[in-house]
Amino acid sequence: MADAATPSPPAGKAGESDTDRKLREQVEKLLARPAATSTGSVQLADGRRLDYGVSAAFVPVVAEGFEGAPGEPQAAVMTTAYTLQGAAPGSRPLCFAFNGGPGSASIWLHLGALGPKRVVVPDDGGMPTAPYTAVDNPLTWFEHFDLVFIDPPHTGWSTAASEAARKKMLSVDGDVDALADVMRTWLTRHQRWGSPVYLAGESYGTTRGAALADKLQTLGVALSGLILVSCAMDLQSLDFMPGNDLPYALFLPAFANVSQYHGLLKGPLAASPEAARAAAEAFVDEDYAAALLAGARLDGKRRVRVARRIAELTGLPHALVEEKNLRISDATYFFEALRAQGRQVGRLEARATGPMAASRTREWEFDPGIEAIAAPYTMAAMDYFARTLGIAGEQRYEVLSHDVHTNWNWNRGKAQGNGYACTSPDLARALRRNSHLKVFVASGRYDLGTPYSASDWSLAQLDVPADVLARVQHRYYDAGHMMYTRQADLAQLKTDLAAWLG
């Protein structure tokens, strides 16, 4: 994407700081760039060939609620769109897709499952060897939709026009406002208001996706479907904090599943992952949740029985379970499950493990589950953007911005007092408002970032009648957070999507 010829920058605005001036000029420069366009074709698994056009362009955020003059761009957000060649505007369904973090660009869904190009990595969650390139994806979702991948502000090359805009966009509600405006603008520019519209989000992208379903309905966009990959709508179910016992119960079935995979279980529990999961789920429902609720009121014999069962289901030492007061956190599991082998369990892909330091410390330095694919995806994406799409630029492409994640404001609403972000009420409201909205949820059994068992709970808490809840489908896969990195799950995910679309 070559820079357009631009005049000398204007003098700074009254009261504008040097930082804000530079940010504004950067946004203006990005928005002045012409779209980078290309064409290609992909052969589907059934032999059909689809010709597509690609357009990568920056879209302004001008939503109300941001500081600045009305209509003045508050951010430049990059979108990469794949459209079917020869199709009339509005004749095809359209799917907007984004990843999570918060702080992640969209290359994971783009080059992992949905797009016509894909980065191939080993099925077992290990790291491939170089070189890393994007190859044709015969299982692309382009068969069903035109695709628009969005890099939210401060991911990829997207950025805000001021410090105030940046602060607002680094929040649950500000992020939703910004992305809703990007989608509204994109639909208008490309004359796609007549298309059925879908959203697909992964991880924190499901947090924003649930809220966007309701926000877009308010803006006059009735979604046809919402796809949630590795669900994270209720942060309380995932955050191990003092006084919050919920995750200890919700993670246990996932721990049991992973322990069975690594050969840590004995007897009937070791027979299959299904046996381990079923036993853990029954234990949580029948005993463990009540034991956590009882706390110090738990009598001695029952406490011993509960501790013994946790040890059996996880493969952890009974003494450690007692030491942790019957509460095994994710961090405890990552470092203790395979400590005897000197290995650390991956978070986002728990089939993957990494070597501990020789001193076997418990410091979280890296996640073996994401480390194996982060560099391959990044290098393949940069090569694809530059050589195939013609997007050139020396500025760093933020694949996973830790600065964004660290500075994220998780509070919502006017009260600004609830640290556990929760967007499931938004989704429930959207489902009640739109009788045609349906939801597809995909969970990896070996995901210990957003475990399938926590997603089960979250979906069961949706405040909707049974007939409305029937429009929500939950499917499971035998890999981790990015289940599509495993070829069999990529194929099954596509099959399940097609069945859900009907």
Side-chain angles (χ1 to χ4, degrees), residues 167-494:
K167 182 177 180 180
K168 182 173 177 60
M169 291 177 196
L170 297 188
S171 69
V172 178
D173 293 326
D175 170 80
V176 167
D177 289 344
L179 264 66
D181 195 59
V182 168
M183 294 179 205
R184 179 195 61 77
T185 300
W186 198 96
L187 289 171
T188 300
R189 285 186 174 183
H190 297 273
Q191 301 178 36
R192 296 300 296 268
W193 283 90
S195 296
V197 177
Y198 293 78
L199 299 186
E202 179 182 326
S203 194
Y204 184 82
T206 70
T207 316
R208 69 161 57 98
L212 279 165
D214 193 50
K215 177 71 175 182
L216 288 171
Q217 181 78 20
T218 299
L219 295 178
V221 181
L223 293 183
S224 295
L226 175 64
I227 302 159
L228 305 175
V229 179
S230 301
C231 196
M233 293 189 298
D234 296 292
L235 274 294
Q236 186 177 3
S237 69
L238 307 173
D239 195 2
F240 291 87
M241 294 292 289
N244 180 30
D245 279 337
L246 191 57
Y248 297 103
L250 297 181
F251 273 62
L252 191 64
F255 289 157
N257 187 73
V258 174
S259 291
Q260 192 280 337
Y261 177 86
H262 289 296
L264 301 177
L265 306 187
K266 299 177 181 179
L269 295 174
S272 67
E274 293 81 7
R277 292 195 303 267
E281 290 167 9
F283 172 65
V284 170
D285 289 343
E286 298 165 8
D287 207 353
Y288 187 39
L292 291 171
L293 186 63
R297 296 172 297 168
L298 197 66
D299 66 69
K301 290 183 179 180
R302 187 181 175 198
R303 179 187 175 88
V304 170
R305 186 172 70 251
V306 168
R308 183 182 300 116
R309 190 57 171 166
I310 295 171
E312 291 171 349
L313 289 165
T314 60
L316 297 173
H318 180 274
L320 176 67
V321 177
E322 287 279 13
E323 176 189 320
K324 296 298 182 181
N325 195 24
L326 311 182
R327 291 160 173 81
I328 302 301
S329 70
D330 52 355
T332 296
Y333 186 85
F334 299 147
F335 289 108
E336 302 300 335
L338 297 177
R339 173 166 289 276
Q341 303 172 33
R343 309 290 294 181
Q344 172 187 332
V345 174
R347 176 175 177 265
L348 295 187
E349 174 54 84
R351 296 176 303 150
T353 66
M356 289 181 169
S359 57
R360 297 197 181 180
T361 65
R362 292 174 173 83
E363 294 183 14
W364 184 252
E365 297 178 304
F366 64 94
D367 175 8
I370 193 66
E371 205 71 29
I373 62 174
Y377 266 75
T378 300
M379 295 179 76
M382 295 303 95
D383 177 70
Y384 176 63
F385 286 160
R387 294 201 301 122
T388 302
L389 302 187
I391 307 173
E394 295 184 359
Q395 185 177 352
R396 176 177 173 173
Y397 183 89
E398 292 286 356
V399 173
L400 289 167
S401 173
H402 295 289
D403 181 64
V404 167
H405 194 89
T406 300
N407 290 287
W408 199 258
N409 178 2
W410 296 92
N411 297 317
R412 300 198 69 198
K414 295 180 180 179
Q416 292 287 298
N418 178 13
Y420 290 124
C422 178
T423 57
S424 57
D426 302 66
L427 178 56
R429 188 164 51 247
L431 283 164
R432 297 195 307 269
R433 295 173 73 183
N434 179 356
S435 61
H436 299 293
L437 173 61
K438 55 184 182 178
V439 180
F440 177 84
V441 184
S443 293
R445 299 284 196 187
Y446 297 93
D447 176 8
L448 293 182
T450 61
Y452 83 91
S453 39
S455 297
D456 281 341
W457 176 87
S458 184
L459 295 170
Q461 307 309 310
L462 286 172
D463 187 14
V464 294
D467 61 325
V468 175
L469 191 60
R471 289 190 261 126
V472 179
Q473 292 186 20
H474 194 186
R475 296 290 180 265
Y476 310 91
Y477 304 90
D478 291 322
H481 199 72
M482 286 89 158
M483 73 288 293
Y484 44 79
T485 59
R486 181 173 178 263
Q487 182 69 29
D489 286 328
L490 176 68
Q492 188 61 52
L493 181 61
K494 175 71 179 296

Side-chain angles (χ1 to χ4, degrees), residues 61-70 74 164-165 168-169 173-174 177-178 215:
V61 173
V62 292
E64 295 181 3
F66 292 93
E67 293 185 13
Q74 296 301 305
K168 182 173 177 60
M169 291 177 196
D173 293 326
D177 289 344
K215 177 71 175 182

